[in-house]
Amino acid sequence: EPVDFLTAQSLRSEIESVVTNFEPRATIDSITVTADVINHGYNVNLRVFIGNSTTPSNIDLFLERIR
């Protein structure tokens, strides 16, 4: 897969689907996926509310292809 905007949007959609379908305790506040062409991957920021919490949890990831 090329590291580009379209793939980043596809990843964002898939992450949203997985969290919604498999983690009913989490409510998504925001998901940001940005392509990092130089490092050949994607920076992901997921902000969710867990259970009845009023404080969001932030999850920062770097996704890269393993060959």
Side-chain angles (χ1 to χ4, degrees):
E1 289 288 324
V3 176
D4 61 12
F5 175 77
L6 293 175
T7 305
Q9 291 305 310
S10 178
L11 280 170
R12 184 197 177 288
S13 177
E14 289 299 320
I15 292 167
E16 182 176 15
S17 177
V18 167
V19 172
T20 300
N21 291 328
F22 296 106
E23 188 46 78
R25 298 168 292 180
T27 302
I28 298 171
D29 183 48
S30 66
I31 302 172
T32 305
V33 179
T34 54
D36 185 343
V37 178
I38 294 171
N39 294 311
H40 305 289
Y42 298 89
N43 293 304
V44 178
N45 178 271
L46 176 62
R47 183 177 161 131
V48 296
F49 291 97
I50 306 296
N52 293 328
S53 176
T54 58
T55 305
S57 297
N58 286 311
I59 301 166
D60 290 310
L61 305 168
F62 183 76
L63 300 177
E64 62 184 323
R65 181 178 178 181
I66 298 176
R67 298 174 191 208

